[in-house]
Every structure is written in structure tokens, then in C-alpha cells.
Amino acid sequence: MDYVNHPDFWIGLVKIIWINIILSGDNAVVIALAARSLSPEQQRKAIMFGSGAAVVLRILLTVVAAKLLELSFLQIVGGCLLLWIGLQLLTSHDEEEGAGKGTGTMMAAIRTILIADLVMSLDNVIAVAAAAGGNMLLLILGLAISIPLVVFGSTLMIKLMERFPVIVILGAGLIGWVGGETIMNDKLLHGFVAANPALHYLAAAAGAALVVGLGLWLQKRNTAPAH
């Protein structure tokens, strides 16, 4: 434990906290979208369990992330899964508003949080692991400290979504953007994307447009009066 007294330990910890501050934004959006239909008490539980489980998942994922990223098609599948999650979170909004608060299930919300975080964390955990420099205590401490950051961000996002419903659409668009980026990061497409760098941003924009456009169309179709 002598390394705790070494300046490099604390510098590494600050790096990890800063990385998690930067990367916690999209996680907070996913958690807020997944938990917004729950009752206030269930919201708090879903945010705590979802955030804590996501951090534990990220610690475990750090061990295998580098190997996973070498597999072709993995990020393509993960990106498509994120597009589907974004679409589901957006299209369920009107149904939940119509049925009233508390109609969602906490386990369903936590499941959505974990699946989305699993996909989005593949690249993120590599940055955290690099900052930890192989020190597992440093990695666990840094990620544990990130829990209140995600919890605070998620709680704030839920309040903002209740006051400004357009944030729900923007949040779903963000998930679509990350989904498009994830697809382009797949090993199978590395050479193609390297030769055409603009494709990375075009795919991200297309993912956001797909989730928002298709989601709003499905909302309109589901709420249209029957003839």
C-alpha cells in the first residue's frame, strides 16, 4: 500500500475522476430516460442500483475490453443495439405519460441501463484503464467516486425532462449518435473509415436522425385517432 503515498497514485486518481466526469454525460442521459416513468421512490432506487451496477460492470469489463474490441462485428451489433434502445426509450415516452407515473418497472429500467452502459463502455474503459496504469485499487477507487457524478447527473436530467420534454428527444438523439459512432468504430470498418474520416460523423448523425425521426413518426402513428 506504499504506492498510496506516491504522487503518481493521486495524479492517476485525478485523471480517472476527470475522465469519468467527461464520460458520465451520456450514461446520465440513458439512466434518466430509462427511469423517468417510474414513481419518485423507484426512480431513486433505479438510479442508485443502475449507477452502481454500471460501475461494477465497467470494472469487470476493463479486464476484457481490449480483447473484445479486436472482435469484428461486435461494435456493429452493439451500435445497432443502442439505436434500438434509443428508439424504445423515445417511443415509450407518450405511452408512459398517458398511463401516468409509476407504470414502468424498476427491473426493466435497470436492465436497459446496464445493456446501454455495457455497449457504451467498451471504448470508455480503455481510457480509464490507461489512466490507472494497471493499478486495480486506483481503478476501483476512481470508478467508485464516479457513482455520485452519474447519480447527480441522472437526477438532474430527470427533473429537466419533466420541465422540458424536448430533452427526451435530444437524449434519444444522443443515444442514436453514440450508436452510429459505435458501428463505425468496429474493427471490420477501420480501414474504410480511416480512408473516409467523414463517415464517422455521418454515421453518428445518421444514427441520431434515425432514432429521432423514426421515433417521432412511431409516436405520431401510435397517438393518431383511429378512423
Side-chain angles (χ1 to χ4, degrees):
M1 296 293 289
D2 289 342
Y3 55 78
V4 175
N5 298 320
H6 199 281
D8 287 346
F9 177 86
W10 298 103
I11 292 172
L13 183 59
V14 170
K15 285 181 182 177
I16 289 178
I17 294 173
W18 182 243
I19 288 170
N20 276 284
I21 289 174
I22 296 172
L23 299 180
S24 63
D26 51 3
N27 298 89
V29 169
V30 169
I31 294 172
L33 282 170
R36 74 190 190 284
S37 65
L38 302 175
S39 65
E41 171 135 357
Q42 285 186 319
Q43 279 183 0
R44 287 190 290 271
K45 290 181 179 178
I47 289 173
M48 290 300 298
F49 287 135
S51 302
V55 170
V56 172
L57 180 65
R58 206 173 275 192
I59 293 172
L60 298 175
L61 191 60
T62 301
V63 181
V64 295
K67 292 294 182 184
L68 288 175
L69 289 174
E70 293 176 4
L71 300 177
S72 298
F73 292 108
L74 180 67
Q75 294 202 76
I76 293 176
V77 173
C80 291
L81 185 59
L82 276 182
L83 295 177
W84 179 80
I85 288 174
L87 190 61
Q88 290 296 307
L89 291 174
L90 181 57
T91 55
S92 65
H93 178 59
D94 282 350
E95 296 170 11
E96 289 160 354
E97 288 295 317
K101 281 275 186 185
T103 57
T105 65
M106 186 172 67
M107 290 309 299
I110 293 175
R111 184 174 63 247
T112 299
I113 292 166
L114 288 178
I115 292 173
D117 193 77
L118 173 65
V119 177
M120 292 189 296
S121 293
L122 282 174
D123 287 322
N124 296 355
V125 293
I126 291 180
V128 174
N135 188 319
M136 189 55 65
L137 174 62
L138 186 56
L139 177 63
I140 294 173
L141 278 175
L143 292 176
I145 292 172
S146 74
I147 293 178
L149 298 175
V150 177
V151 169
F152 174 76
S154 305
T155 304
L156 178 62
M157 287 303 301
I158 289 177
K159 294 185 183 301
L160 289 174
M161 285 175 183
E162 291 174 350
R163 187 167 183 180
F164 306 105
V166 70
I167 294 179
V168 174
I169 298 174
L170 296 176
L174 174 62
I175 297 173
W177 179 280
V178 176
E181 281 187 324
T182 302
I183 291 172
M184 287 295 104
N185 286 336
D186 192 89
K187 181 183 177 183
L188 185 69
L189 302 175
H190 275 181
F192 189 56
V193 174
N196 304 274
L199 283 177
H200 182 86
Y201 300 101
L202 288 174
L210 175 66
V211 169
V212 173
L214 183 58
L216 291 178
W217 178 77
L218 288 173
Q219 276 188 10
K220 186 176 180 180
R221 190 188 69 171
N222 292 339
T223 57
H227 294 288

